[in-house]
Amino acid sequence: MTSRWVVLKFGGTSVASARNWGRIAARVTELHAEGKRVWIVASALSQVSNRLEQAVEEALGNREPASLGWIQGRHIELAGEIGLSVTAYEPVKELLEELGQLLEGVRLTREASPRLHARIMSFGELASTQLGIAALGHHGLHGQRVDARDLLISTEVDGQQPADRFVQAQVDPVRNVLAAEAASDACSLVLTQGFIARTPRGETCLLGRGGSDTSAALFAHLIGAESLEIWTDVHGMFSTDPRQLPTARLIRQISYREAQELAAMGAKVLHPRCLGPAAEGGIPIEIRNTMDPEARGTRIGPSLSDDAAVMAVVMREGVTLLNISTLRMWGTPGFLAKVFAPFAELGISVDLVATSQSAVSVTLDGVPGGTGGEPFRRLEERLKLLGEVTTREDTAVVSIVGRRIRTVLHKLGPAFAVFREHEVHLVSESSEDLNVSFVVGQQDARTLVDRLHDQLLPKQGSDELFGPSWELLTSKQRRIETAEAPKPWWHARQAELLDLVSDGQSRYVYDLATVRAQAHGLRQHLTAVGGLYYAMKANWNAEVLRTIAAEGLGIECVSAAEIKLVRELLGDAIPILFTPNFCPLDEYAVAFEHGADVTLDGPHLIDLAPELFRGRELGVRVDPGGGLGHHEKVVTAGAQAKFGHPVADVAEVVRAAAEVGATVTGLHSHVGSGILDPDSWGRTLQGLLAVRDQLPDLRWIDVGGGLGVVERAGQQALDLAAVNLRLAELAAELGDIELRMEPGRYLVSEGGVLLAPVTQVRRKGEVRFVGLATGMNSLIRPALYGAWHGIHNLSRLDADPDGYWHVVGPICETGDVLGRDRLLPSTEAGDVLLIENAGAYGRVMASRYNLREPAAEVVLTV
């Protein structure tokens, strides 16, 4: 046959619904109409590979085979959606029965060798393609199902660990059109599996997670395909992870090497190993979105331009940094060869490298068994023969990716100011001038990516390199998907809110029902916590305070003025926790006078004023050594943070207290704000329990606050049940000691919005600005923290967006920007914009800068 092949690869989400199989059939029909033959490479159904991993664990642990049941049910469900007959489904049923027999063998023997593990994992792709060939037949397309293991044979690699030969196999690209034609049986449609191959001995092996992309490229090379289309759930490669930063721009076209660099540095759309076979065969790749089949995505091919360009800012987390230092290195021939030899012998991949006269630093990407495994232990032993070895596992790599980076260093310079407050452990520049990479603390990486992207990548306008943003590409689809989703409270009160600002003045508006619901939810879900104290610095509006107190929460204060306000508004009965930092000593006297539980940051306070603390019951705030948070300015633990006493030195506070007849009855720690990791508070409590025996009079332990809220699309809400589960496990060790938490923003953020009338709208070239009646004088969080607040045109809630706008205020500062590149409908002077999540750290941080009054407060009681 003379017709050229086109290879289509479909990922797990793309083969997981009847609608998508209809789209697959439609694309095949289009290509057949153009005279093309089609070779489809399919992944396992979405989540099936994860469930297969769990099924092996369940069998090894002799547990109920819940995952096997889920896998069987998922395939039956999809077959029903497609409308397959019992006869058509029979081959899938037989495959899954065979899978059940293998898992039963694992259960009986309590063993799953890498060879058997690979065989079990292959059933995801085998089942999806068996179901898929029937689905295509249901659409009137009759093709040949080919076993990928008949055509893809792995290559033995020197130094490769035995287990990796089965689960991280490598296959060299070869051209063998005759073998492919024989396997296809002269059909114009072939369906085969991604991810799987066979060893030279005929055993099943895997190409590693993400290996279906590599399989597709290998098949495209094998059959001499005209092109390769990668169909997935995004439109292509973006200038950063679009699920984290919605303003990420689609990259229209990119070379093989640039795409490989981008994929290797952290972009997750393609597996880096798939680019080599395609480039070797000169096969262009196009990434397309199965959910939006009419849209064009990213095209990858030979380089079309030699112009310098920054294309993306990406990150790779979970990186291990290893350093070997010795003065013997200087001037010693072949020293680096000795350093790198054990890496190759033990199958440990080195990524970034930096050297000096007396040290070598590397990052590791893919350590067999992890840093706790035998290969890494042996590596450290070998390297210690050469010098001092240190490792860090809490790091990430942030990379600026593009072409001819060195020629635009003068343009990158101002952007590097973002590193001013972040420690950089290693800097590496690609020898091919394709990236500059920085190894930083993992907690800093996300912030750095966002800020570098904001500095280096265009957000508005269009050109040959950059297409629309992810937010713009998906806006209509997301509007459809969220049409039935619960609306925020302000959506139903549109007319009332617009009336509140009809005078042209901005307003903070608080919905007490939302605040009440948040407080009630915390009481309901955090059953392991005995005392909840609202951090009133988030919002001290009188009605807000009364609402929270009525839900049974105490109040956490950080100043004498806050204490006095609480007593004035709420009376003497409500419990107060006083957790100041570097405050005047007389404020402690006020706290004792008003019956507050008082915490100290260390023994120095007792030394300064022994009579003030004599005979008192005190709490001590300790620093566990590391913090978390949505921005470095809200991380409140670690050596550079001004809060707390080192937890290892808590005995010093106990001794100082004893000298003045005081007792330490409370233990407190707070690591940061905006935390969405549900294990954070459990880790804090575990650390505090380690020093509990040094505090014989302990009555309460406070694990802080910082409960994060959802700020933008794609974020997962904090799982309170998971927070409580971990705390409850540890609370069993507390006995009569009360467990406390101090939520602030979580209680009030969603209950408040900032309404701001539009004063002006104007353009500067392709950049559009919306000017508001208020700015950073009312809401400083975006300028101070780079905080993200959702922004909506309240006057035109149902209008479709038409592009990006910078939302700015009237303050005479460049930083007076409430939101950059926000997707809004056509907006005019007189419209009203609504800024979300403004109930916390809004009005309380406002100022009269430029002698402009900040937005006033309005409370909605019903």
Side-chain angles (χ1 to χ4, degrees):
M1 299 184 70
T2 58
S3 297
R4 296 290 302 276
W5 288 102
V6 174
V7 175
L8 311 179
K9 180 265 177 178
F10 291 95
T13 56
S14 298
V15 297
S17 72
R19 174 181 292 183
N20 283 349
W21 276 106
R23 290 168 173 159
I24 294 170
R27 182 57 182 154
V28 173
T29 301
E30 289 175 358
L31 291 169
H32 279 173
E34 297 171 10
K36 311 296 184 186
R37 303 168 74 191
V38 179
W39 190 290
I40 298 175
V41 179
S43 298
L45 305 188
S46 179
Q47 294 301 312
V48 164
S49 293
N50 291 335
R51 292 286 186 160
L52 284 167
E53 295 274 15
Q54 293 173 19
V56 174
E57 294 300 318
E58 288 166 359
L60 287 169
N62 195 26
R63 302 198 301 272
E64 182 74 20
S67 295
L68 174 60
W70 186 93
I71 293 167
Q72 292 169 331
R74 183 68 191 91
H75 286 83
I76 291 171
E77 178 185 12
L78 180 54
E81 291 176 10
I82 295 170
L84 299 184
S85 67
V86 173
T87 302
Y89 183 73
E90 188 63 28
V92 183
K93 179 182 177 183
E94 291 175 359
L95 268 174
L96 297 180
E97 287 175 349
E98 182 183 351
L99 169 64
Q101 293 168 3
L102 289 175
L103 290 169
E104 177 63 13
V106 172
R107 188 187 69 80
L108 293 172
T109 62
R110 299 290 196 278
E111 291 183 2
S113 66
R115 175 183 175 183
L116 179 55
H117 187 268
R119 188 178 171 196
I120 289 172
M121 293 298 297
S122 72
F123 277 83
E125 278 69 20
L126 293 172
S128 72
T129 51
Q130 193 69 69
L131 191 152
I133 203 70
L136 292 170
H138 184 74
H139 286 278
L141 296 169
H142 302 288
Q144 180 74 18
R145 178 177 177 270
V146 170
D147 192 325
R149 296 170 294 187
D150 293 337
L151 295 173
L152 299 185
I153 304 172
S154 68
T155 303
E156 302 293 344
V157 180
D158 292 340
Q160 189 176 30
Q161 297 298 307
D164 287 347
R165 293 174 183 168
F166 292 101
V167 296
Q168 293 285 347
Q170 296 189 34
V171 176
D172 291 334
V174 296
R175 180 66 58 82
N176 195 340
V177 177
L178 291 177
E181 289 291 353
S184 71
D185 198 23
C187 280
S188 62
L189 174 60
V190 167
L191 178 59
T192 191
Q193 305 82 31
F195 185 51
I196 67 174
R198 69 173 170 89
T199 69
R201 292 169 295 281
E203 305 147 316
T204 297
C205 61
L206 311 176
L207 302 187
R209 284 301 182 94
S212 290
D213 291 341
T214 307
S215 297
L218 290 167
F219 278 118
H221 190 285
L222 182 84
I223 63 180
E226 179 179 290
S227 63
L228 167 60
E229 296 177 4
I230 304 286
W231 290 82
T232 181
D233 58 355
V234 295
H235 287 83
M237 303 189 89
F238 283 81
S239 56
T240 194
D241 183 350
R243 292 179 176 85
Q244 293 294 331
L245 196 64
T247 54
R249 295 286 295 275
L250 175 70
I251 300 173
R252 294 185 187 274
Q253 54 187 14
I254 190 171
S255 72
Y256 296 117
R257 273 298 292 120
E258 292 158 359
Q260 186 175 46
E261 198 75 14
L262 189 54
M265 289 295 107
K268 298 177 181 178
V269 179
L270 283 180
H271 195 286
R273 283 167 55 188
C274 83
L275 277 305
E280 186 175 323
I283 302 162
I285 301 174
E286 187 169 356
I287 305 172
R288 300 184 65 176
N289 190 335
T290 312
M291 317 307 168
D292 190 6
E294 301 303 317
R296 292 289 171 174
T298 300
R299 186 171 179 83
I300 305 170
S303 180
L304 299 177
S305 173
D306 193 40
D307 294 341
V310 174
M311 295 181 177
V313 181
V314 293
M315 73 176 187
R316 191 169 66 256
E317 296 180 289
V319 172
T320 298
L321 176 65
L322 187 147
N323 185 75
I324 310 103
S325 59
T326 175
L327 293 176
R328 289 181 293 161
M329 176 178 168
W330 187 82
T332 303
F335 188 85
L336 287 180
K338 295 178 183 177
V339 169
F340 289 112
F343 289 93
E345 294 168 13
L346 295 167
I348 297 175
S349 175
V350 172
D351 186 19
L352 303 181
V353 180
T355 65
S356 70
Q357 295 296 326
S358 59
V360 182
S361 295
V362 300
T363 62
L364 307 181
D365 185 19
V367 181
T371 54
E374 180 64 17
F376 190 76
R377 186 191 65 78
R378 292 171 59 193
L379 175 69
E380 286 188 304
E381 288 180 352
R382 294 276 298 278
L383 294 177
K384 285 176 181 177
L385 298 176
L386 302 175
E388 182 182 354
V389 178
T390 58
T391 60
R392 290 195 61 157
E393 298 181 56
D394 58 340
T395 63
V397 177
V398 173
S399 300
I400 301 169
V401 180
R403 56 174 175 255
R404 300 185 63 201
I405 296 289
R406 298 184 196 116
T407 66
V408 292
L409 285 176
H410 62 289
K411 296 181 180 179
L412 302 184
F416 290 163
V418 304
F419 292 100
R420 184 181 295 116
E421 298 179 9
H422 302 272
E423 184 178 3
V424 177
H425 305 298
L426 182 151
V427 180
S428 175
E429 199 268 334
S430 163
S431 61
E432 294 182 89
D433 205 11
L434 294 173
N435 82 71
V436 179
S437 295
F438 306 87
V439 180
V440 298
Q442 185 140 312
Q443 74 278 4
D444 297 332
R446 181 74 262 157
T447 297
L448 286 168
V449 168
D450 289 356
R451 294 176 66 185
L452 284 169
H453 188 275
D454 183 63
Q455 293 271 347
L456 298 173
L457 276 300
K459 309 298 189 308
Q460 299 186 30
S462 184
D463 55 33
E464 292 183 0
L465 179 57
F466 293 109
S469 71
W470 177 85
E471 189 176 32
L472 191 57
L473 282 166
T474 61
S475 60
K476 291 184 179 179
Q477 181 63 32
R478 284 188 290 114
R479 285 170 70 87
I480 294 170
E481 291 173 352
T482 59
E484 301 301 322
K487 297 290 192 298
W489 64 266
W490 47 264
H491 206 279
R493 306 184 78 159
Q494 178 187 16
E496 181 182 2
L497 295 179
L498 288 172
D499 186 60
L500 287 175
V501 291
S502 59
D503 60 357
Q505 301 300 309
S506 301
R507 299 282 193 284
Y508 275 106
V509 182
Y510 308 132
D511 178 55
L512 295 185
T514 300
V515 174
R516 190 177 298 111
Q518 290 293 92
H520 180 74
L522 282 182
R523 301 290 308 176
Q524 183 180 21
H525 289 99
L526 298 181
T527 56
V529 179
L532 286 170
Y533 289 75
Y534 167 57
M536 67 172 288
K537 59 182 177 288
N539 186 325
W540 59 65
N541 178 276
E543 293 306 312
V544 169
L545 286 173
R546 290 190 180 101
T547 298
I548 292 173
E551 290 296 318
L553 278 72
I555 306 294
E556 186 243 355
C557 301
V558 294
S559 71
E562 287 186 352
I563 292 174
K564 292 176 181 178
L565 180 62
V566 170
R567 287 294 179 236
E568 177 185 339
L569 292 175
L570 306 177
D572 295 334
I574 190 165
I576 294 177
L577 176 64
F578 185 50
T579 62
N581 183 250
F582 288 99
C583 74
L585 289 173
D586 59 5
E587 293 197 24
Y588 292 97
V590 173
F592 288 129
E593 178 187 345
H594 287 87
D597 286 339
V598 174
T599 67
L600 309 182
D601 273 331
H604 64 286
L605 284 163
I606 299 174
D607 295 336
L608 282 173
E611 293 306 315
L612 176 60
F613 300 104
R614 188 174 302 280
R616 299 287 190 180
E617 291 187 354
L618 305 172
V620 56
R621 177 168 180 169
V622 296
D623 183 343
L628 291 172
H630 62 84
H631 189 276
E632 68 268 17
K633 289 186 173 68
V634 300
V635 174
T636 54
Q640 301 300 318
K642 67 176 185 146
F643 303 92
H645 193 65
V647 67
D649 300 330
V650 69
E652 294 177 357
V653 185
V654 177
R655 285 195 296 271
E659 289 175 2
V660 296
T663 54
V664 177
T665 58
L667 186 59
H668 177 280
S669 185
H670 176 69
V671 299
S673 298
I675 300 169
L676 294 171
D677 175 6
D679 291 332
S680 174
W681 297 270
R683 288 194 298 269
T684 298
L685 178 55
Q686 192 164 32
L688 297 179
L689 287 172
V691 298
R692 180 187 58 175
D693 291 344
Q694 300 180 48
L695 305 166
D697 300 305
L698 198 61
R699 292 194 294 104
W700 55 267
I701 290 180
D702 189 326
V703 292
L707 288 79
V709 300
V710 172
E711 296 176 327
R712 61 179 75 182
Q715 284 186 321
Q716 293 296 314
L718 178 64
D719 186 343
L720 291 179
V723 173
N724 191 67
L725 180 63
R726 181 64 177 137
L727 290 176
E729 291 173 355
L730 295 167
E733 303 179 35
L734 292 176
D736 294 334
I737 298 172
E738 180 186 48
L739 178 61
R740 296 179 178 180
M741 290 182 74
E742 49 191 61
R745 185 174 177 227
Y746 185 89
L747 288 163
V748 294
S749 182
E750 295 176 26
V753 296
L754 174 59
L755 306 180
V758 175
T759 58
Q760 302 177 39
V761 176
R762 68 186 181 94
R763 291 176 179 267
K764 287 177 67 176
E766 291 188 341
V767 180
R768 299 188 289 183
F769 292 86
V770 175
L772 303 183
T774 196
M776 63 188 291
N777 59 316
S778 289
L779 183 64
I780 200 172
R781 295 186 75 251
L784 183 63
Y785 300 140
W788 176 281
H789 289 261
I791 301 177
H792 308 269
N793 189 322
L794 185 65
S795 303
R796 306 169 191 265
L797 275 182
D798 297 323
D800 289 332
D802 79 335
Y804 286 100
W805 306 73
H806 292 333
V807 180
V808 301
I811 302 303
C812 191
E813 292 284 345
T814 302
D816 186 26
V817 180
L818 297 174
R820 291 189 183 276
D821 302 298
R822 297 312 179 87
L823 198 58
L824 295 171
S826 181
T827 298
E828 300 175 359
D831 288 353
V832 175
L833 296 196
L834 178 147
I835 301 174
E836 288 185 293
N837 277 318
Y841 302 106
R843 173 70 189 195
V844 293
M845 297 178 74
S847 72
R848 297 181 66 244
Y849 186 41
N850 290 179
L851 286 179
R852 294 189 182 275
E853 293 295 331
E857 296 175 300
V858 176
V859 176
L860 303 179
T861 57
V862 294

